[in-house]
Amino acid sequence: MADTSQPFREIFFTSRDGLKLHARQYFAAFDDRSGRRPVLCLPGLSRNGRDFHALALALAQTETGPRDVYTLDSRGRGLSQSDPVWENYSVPIEMLDVLDFMTAAGLHGASIIGTSRGGLITMLMAAAQPSAIGPVVLNDIGPVIEPKGLSRIAAYVGRIPLPGTWPDAARLVAEMSQRAFTAVPEDEWEDIARQWFNERKGKPAPGYDVAIANAFSVLDGPVPTLWPQFEALKRVPLLVLRGENSDILSAETVDEMRRRHPAFTSVTVRAEGHAPLLRDAPTIEAVRRFLAATDERGGMARVA
């Protein structure tokens, strides 16, 4: 029987090509899971499952509708092993890792929360194995990726200096983020920095394999749109979160997503950019209500 004295347990599993990958399971409070889908959270390009810690705690420990929540570190991120073949840092390969983990953990039909690249993986899964996933939350990502935001990401992936201390890490993260995230309290930046970076001997350590930048740099020319993959999401309820200051997901793309999807709702996260941090109470409550509504109504539920 699992030890639920801690809010989560560490999980390590082996990918089909032999890498040791890492995930967490946050336990539903009160051992009350009846009728509630588990949730699997998939992070962005250079990020990891720690990005979902505040949201996962809130969803697992709420007194009304607690549920198991899983967070996954993609290969080469967080506590997952780096891949010696950098070409494997690709959305299709990472999708296979997700599907393998879902099979191993018994998460067939789980709700998916995908931030940025995690959302791209989700759309690809919907097209490749549609019955595998349940309701979906896309965090600041859609079928059209704005080139300005993509250029910004390309400019820093693999190039961030390693801070010597956690206060230095907090200052670095704040300097990189404050223009788009204008309402984050000063005392929260170190917590956010601890999401970005691993820890080794009490100091910041790299949070991802810098070779990910090689895979990212092979993108040449405009990124193709993913409307066919997005169309595969029409069979499940969809919530889209968009940062008010996002340079990756435009309001126009959200409008077109709404036009094409029969069970669509969206929330604008005020004073945040790409991608919303999923730490503020209104956003967490919007996600909780969406998941609760799809549990209660099933199928193609809409959320007001």
Side-chain angles (χ1 to χ4, degrees):
M1 184 174 180
D3 175 13
T4 58
S5 60
Q6 298 296 323
F8 61 84
R9 71 180 177 107
E10 310 283 359
I11 301 172
F12 288 93
F13 70 103
T14 303
S15 69
R16 63 182 67 190
D17 56 355
L19 292 183
K20 187 178 182 182
L21 305 183
H22 172 260
R24 286 179 177 179
Q25 178 188 3
Y26 290 77
F27 300 102
F30 324 118
D31 198 31
D32 181 4
R33 303 169 177 82
S34 177
R36 300 186 185 99
R37 293 183 187 87
V39 176
L40 175 61
C41 302
L42 306 177
L45 174 69
S46 62
R47 307 296 285 273
N48 60 75
R50 291 188 297 267
D51 278 358
F52 301 99
H53 180 68
L55 176 64
L57 285 177
L59 295 178
Q61 296 183 357
T62 178
E63 293 184 3
T64 56
R67 67 187 69 238
D68 284 350
V69 180
Y70 297 78
T71 66
L72 182 63
D73 292 349
S74 300
R75 56 179 60 206
R77 287 83 153 183
L79 300 184
S80 286
Q81 186 179 355
S82 295
D83 196 317
V85 181
W86 63 260
E87 290 89 348
N88 288 339
Y89 293 128
S90 68
V91 170
I93 294 293
E94 291 165 18
M95 178 195 71
L96 294 178
D97 292 340
V98 174
L99 289 171
D100 287 350
F101 176 70
M102 293 180 73
T103 298
L107 297 180
H108 183 82
S111 297
I112 309 292
I113 301 175
T115 292
S116 194
R117 187 180 181 94
L120 299 180
I121 292 171
T122 303
M123 285 188 276
L124 209 63
M125 284 198 299
Q129 199 164 327
S131 64
I133 65 174
V136 166
V137 178
L138 295 180
N139 184 23
D140 212 61
I141 194 68
V144 179
I145 300 175
E146 296 302 311
K148 179 180 178 181
L150 201 63
S151 297
R152 176 183 57 79
I153 293 170
Y156 76 73
V157 172
R159 296 178 174 87
I160 299 176
L162 183 64
T165 67
W166 285 113
D168 289 341
R171 283 190 289 272
L172 173 65
V173 171
E175 288 169 2
M176 293 179 62
S177 307
Q178 280 177 324
R179 179 173 296 181
F181 294 82
T182 57
V184 175
E186 194 68 28
D187 60 2
E188 287 192 19
W189 286 116
E190 184 169 323
D191 285 346
I192 296 168
R194 289 178 181 272
Q195 296 173 190
W196 285 32
F197 294 96
N198 289 347
E199 183 170 2
R200 186 176 300 125
K201 297 181 179 179
K203 295 183 178 181
Y208 63 91
D209 182 0
V210 295
I212 290 169
N214 296 332
F216 193 63
S217 67
V218 300
L219 296 172
D220 186 21
V223 177
T225 62
L226 297 177
W227 288 113
Q229 291 79 7
F230 175 78
E231 295 282 345
L233 290 175
K234 290 168 70 173
R235 59 172 293 276
V236 298
L238 175 63
L239 168 63
V240 171
L241 307 174
R242 178 181 181 270
E244 182 180 31
N245 303 323
S246 177
D247 58 3
I248 287 289
L249 178 62
S250 71
E252 291 76 17
T253 296
V254 173
D255 287 342
E256 181 62 17
M257 294 164 76
R258 178 182 293 106
R259 190 186 70 80
R260 295 186 183 215
H261 197 288
F264 178 96
T265 189
S266 65
V267 171
T268 299
V269 182
R270 302 297 177 190
E272 295 199 6
H274 181 79
L277 300 171
L278 307 180
R279 295 167 61 92
D280 64 291
T283 303
I284 289 173
E285 177 60 13
V287 173
R288 189 201 65 77
R289 290 180 61 245
F290 170 78
L291 296 174
T294 58
D295 285 338
E296 292 166 5
R297 303 172 193 173
M300 300 299 288
R302 286 187 178 274
V303 179

